[in-house]
């Protein structure tokens, strides 16, 4: 039985404005890179009859109205196209957790604002992320995952290990030489990155201590950095002990949050920027303290950065390049907008 139908435009504006981006802009101008191989929202590798797969094939609007409704049986929010439940690429009903009403309204908003003949599956960033989370949940939140479905959507541990690789090459752990941009870039990196590294050394150490992940009682996480002034062109890598602690943290993430983290990392090419998105936007009280703020004594001390601050962290060298040489039209401005849309979408999914 369905009840509590919410108009798409209601209660979504405030949530989007908090990230400095309008709901319409998020819904109608996104150009997200999909997660599962090169497929967009649908991919239809399984020939599943679903709205997302149909959209990818036709690129035409086949519905009149999109809406969000609370399903009393599922105790979750669903999105309907002309009163027909929206389904994911794997054919699952796109059912969103009860506490994520805003996300359900925004997904409906994406579909309600698509214009016929101008549709691209990549215009649906929130639908793409939510569909991935729902499909992962349907496969891995079972007693024994179906091997055939694991092949179709990817192994969950492989996803985590792939994300962990970004910690080795994290842009926030690499420092420029003294002569680049007359030393201004390195100075700004030290201002931003040293504090960030100190914060995450504390964060992962305390999380590891609270969850029995430290290899010894006195072990402290020390994220390894690469200083181009003294280290040259060698690669950077974290210790096996610290990687195990971070992987243990990934194992504690709810699947919606893991999908949001995946999007943020792939956008910023920075593991620490991705984690910052989650720590700054997760709202579930049951997990906020245990998973996202374990090294903070009270809510007044919770670690938070907004989208603009995270964009500067991950995009600092490009910012200096554009200040020095100017902005390339339809390149830097598009990239900047893409960062905003993608990181905002990730933030909304984990809220």
């Amino acid at each position: 039985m369905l009840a509590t139908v919410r108009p798409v435009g209601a209660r979504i504006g405030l949530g989007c404005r908090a990230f400095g981006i309008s709901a319409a802009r998020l819904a109608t101008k996104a150009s997200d890179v999909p997660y599962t191989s090169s497929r967009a929202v649908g991919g239809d590798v399984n020939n599943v009859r679903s709205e997302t797969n149909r959209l990818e094939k036709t690129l035409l609007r086949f519905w009149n109205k999109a809406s969000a409704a609370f399903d009393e049986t599922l105790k979750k929010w669903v999105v309907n196209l002309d009163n027909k439940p929206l389904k994911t690429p794997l054919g699952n009903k796109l059912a969103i957790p009860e506490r994520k009403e805003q996300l359900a309204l925004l997904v409906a908003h994406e579909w309600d604002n698509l214009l016929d003949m101008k549709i691209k599956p990549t215009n649906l960033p929130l639908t793409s992320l939510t569909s991935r989370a729902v499909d992962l949940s349907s496969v891995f939140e079972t007693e024994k995952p179906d091997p055939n479905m694991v092949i179709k959507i990817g192994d969950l541990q492989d996803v985590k290990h792939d994300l962990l690789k970004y910690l080795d090459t994290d842009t926030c752990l690499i420092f420029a030489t003294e002569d680049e941009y007359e030393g201004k870039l390195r100075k700004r990196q030290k201002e931003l990155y040293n504090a960030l590294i100190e914060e995450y050394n504390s964060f992962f150490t305390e999380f590891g201590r609270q969850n029995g992940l430290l290899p010894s009682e006195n072990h402290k996480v020390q994220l390894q950095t690469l200083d181009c002034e003294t280290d040259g062109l060698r690669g950077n890598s974290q210790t096996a002990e610290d990687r195990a602690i971070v992987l243990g943290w990934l194992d504690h993430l709810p699947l919606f949050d893991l999908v949001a983290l995946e999007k943020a990392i792939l956008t910023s090419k920075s593991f620490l920027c991705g984690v910052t998105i989650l720590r700054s936007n997760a709202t579930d009280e049951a997990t906020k303290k245990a998973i996202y703020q374990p090294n903070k004594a009270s809510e007044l001390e919770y670690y938070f950065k907004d989208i603009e601050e995270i964009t500067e962290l991950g995009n600092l060298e490009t910012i200096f390049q554009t200040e020095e040489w100017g902005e390339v039209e339809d390149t830097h401005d598009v990239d900047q907008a893409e960062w905003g849309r993608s990181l905002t979408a990730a933030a909304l999914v984990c809220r």
Side-chain angles (χ1 to χ4, degrees), residues 90-129:
L90 290 186
N92 297 302
K93 185 180 291 187
L94 199 142
I96 300 170
E98 182 176 2
R99 69 179 185 84
K100 292 180 178 288
E101 178 185 359
Q102 178 181 258
L103 178 59
L105 292 169
L106 284 166
V107 170
H109 181 81
E110 284 188 329
W111 288 80
D112 213 32
N113 283 272
L114 285 174
L115 301 177
D116 201 9
M117 303 305 293
K118 296 183 179 180
I119 294 174
K120 296 180 181 179
T122 50
N123 288 146
L124 298 163
L126 290 174
T127 302
S128 178
L129 295 180

Side-chain angles (χ1 to χ4, degrees), residues 164-227:
L164 194 56
K165 294 176 183 177
Y166 284 88
L167 190 57
D168 288 336
T169 59
D170 200 311
T171 184
C172 297
L173 299 177
I174 300 175
F175 292 85
T177 59
E178 295 282 2
D179 59 350
E180 287 190 65
Y181 303 99
E182 301 177 336
K184 296 177 183 178
L185 173 57
R186 184 181 175 89
K187 179 181 178 182
R188 185 57 176 159
Q189 286 176 330
K190 286 185 174 181
E191 291 173 353
L192 295 178
Y193 295 170
N194 284 344
L196 184 75
I197 293 167
E198 182 179 354
E199 167 62 30
Y200 277 103
N201 283 338
S202 167
F203 171 77
F204 286 120
T205 297
E206 184 58 24
F207 179 84
R209 186 190 68 78
Q210 292 182 14
N211 291 275
L213 297 173
L214 300 183
S216 65
E217 183 179 349
N218 297 322
H219 181 85
K220 292 184 178 180
V221 171
Q222 294 290 333
L223 294 175
Q224 303 298 303
T225 63
L226 176 64
D227 189 334

Side-chain angles (χ1 to χ4, degrees), residues 249-291:
W249 177 78
L250 288 171
D251 288 337
H252 281 73
L253 295 186
L255 283 178
F256 270 79
D257 292 10
L258 180 65
V259 167
L261 175 68
E262 183 181 39
K263 181 60 177 176
I265 289 176
L266 294 181
T267 298
S268 64
K269 302 300 186 292
S270 166
F271 191 92
L272 298 184
C273 285
V275 179
T276 301
I277 285 285
L278 267 58
R279 296 184 69 193
S280 302
N281 293 283
T283 57
D284 181 25
E285 295 298 333
T287 59
K288 189 187 298 184
K289 174 61 179 174
I291 299 178

